Amino acid sequence: MKCFAKKAAAALMGGLFLMNAAGCSDENEYSDAADEVVSLAQEDMDYGATITQLKTSLNEDVKVSIEYDNRFITEDEAIKLADYVAALNDCDGDLLSATFYPPSLESIYQQSGAADIDEYITSVHDNIKDNYIGYEFEFDYISVEDCITDDSDDAEETFSSVDDALDELTDDPVSDKITSRKLVTFDLQYNIVGEDGEYMLSTSTGTDSTLYIYTIDGEIYIL
């Protein structure tokens, strides 16, 4: 449980996991070693071959605009990730509680030493501000750059330890209730409050951010 909490806390702290994002391409053709052009069906292309955008200006359910490959991530999952980022923006403990898997969030904030979830999310926000950005900020765009799913070749390695850790959080095993597991790699665009300009969080941290998105007992959660 402690290992899981530390990993989840690291993810919340703005991308301390290291993950090589898959390269994206807008082309539908690839060349093999013999320079022969091979056309691939859309479902056979890597993550990033198709991109969907959800914008705050067009959808009132979207709190932070986001782009993602809808072959790998559903709209509801994208909105859940946007809710998580919005909670970071506003230090909103209630929104974080509605977004994060409750038993793991409770474990994380208690081990952080925070008195409650509001104090915890504020400390996470301030850590990003003080140690990575240097100014008050607002995330205004999410770019999901990669996604590992249950169907990926390295799914067992990616998710087995997380499943085991979740089972340790409650008396009733959780793993039997999990119907979807995803590990998303993303970058966050932000502006500095009161100033012009847009910046990328990965430039400040040196790496993209990663989070798990699980569907447990029919509900989508961030881990």
Side-chain angles (χ1 to χ4, degrees):
M1 181 173 69
K2 290 182 179 179
C3 180
F4 172 81
K6 290 178 180 178
K7 288 183 178 181
L12 261 173
M13 294 303 276
L16 301 186
F17 285 157
L18 298 180
M19 175 67 67
N20 293 323
C24 300
S25 174
D26 293 327
E27 297 181 0
N28 293 332
E29 294 182 336
Y30 296 79
S31 297
D32 63 12
D35 293 329
E36 295 179 1
V37 175
V38 179
S39 296
L40 297 177
Q42 186 180 89
E43 60 270 20
D44 296 327
M45 295 180 184
D46 291 338
Y47 183 93
T50 63
I51 293 296
T52 294
Q53 288 185 324
L54 298 178
K55 295 186 176 181
T56 56
S57 59
L58 300 177
N59 189 332
E60 63 182 10
D61 293 329
V62 180
K63 296 179 177 63
V64 179
S65 296
I66 183 171
E67 67 176 38
Y68 60 98
D69 191 327
N70 64 14
R71 297 170 304 144
F72 291 76
I73 298 169
T74 69
E75 180 173 315
D76 287 341
E77 290 168 339
I79 290 174
K80 187 68 70 170
L81 179 56
D83 285 348
Y84 161 78
V85 174
L88 276 179
N89 274 340
D90 300 331
C91 300
D92 189 336
D94 289 338
L95 182 56
L96 184 67
S97 297
T99 302
F100 222 85
Y101 182 57
S104 61
L105 178 58
E106 181 179 3
S107 174
I108 291 166
Y109 95 75
Q110 287 180 351
Q111 291 199 34
S112 75
D116 54 31
I117 295 173
D118 283 331
E119 182 178 312
Y120 172 70
I121 191 63
T122 299
S123 70
V124 174
H125 175 100
D126 289 348
N127 178 73
I128 297 171
K129 179 184 68 176
D130 296 338
N131 295 316
Y132 294 103
I133 294 176
Y135 302 92
E136 189 56 62
F137 65 90
E138 180 183 31
F139 294 126
D140 55 17
Y141 199 83
I142 306 163
S143 176
V144 182
E145 300 180 354
D146 198 10
C147 179
I148 298 174
T149 71
D150 281 326
D151 296 327
S152 302
D153 292 339
D154 50 357
E156 178 65 23
E157 178 183 354
T158 301
F159 302 115
S160 60
S161 61
V162 179
D163 292 356
D164 292 342
L166 287 173
D167 281 340
E168 294 179 11
L169 291 174
T170 60
D171 294 332
D172 185 20
V174 175
S175 53
D176 292 341
K177 302 177 183 180
I178 299 171
T179 55
S180 174
R181 303 166 176 83
K182 297 177 183 180
L183 175 63
V184 295
T185 300
F186 59 99
D187 202 357
L188 297 172
Q189 177 180 285
Y190 67 89
N191 62 76
I192 294 173
V193 175
E195 297 184 11
D196 294 330
E198 298 288 350
Y199 310 90
M200 302 306 296
L201 184 63
S202 62
T203 303
S204 300
T205 63
T207 182
D208 290 329
S209 303
T210 61
L211 285 172
Y212 293 94
I213 302 177
Y214 269 48
T215 301
I216 302 172
D217 205 16
E219 296 291 333
I220 300 170
Y221 295 105
I222 297 294
L223 297 174

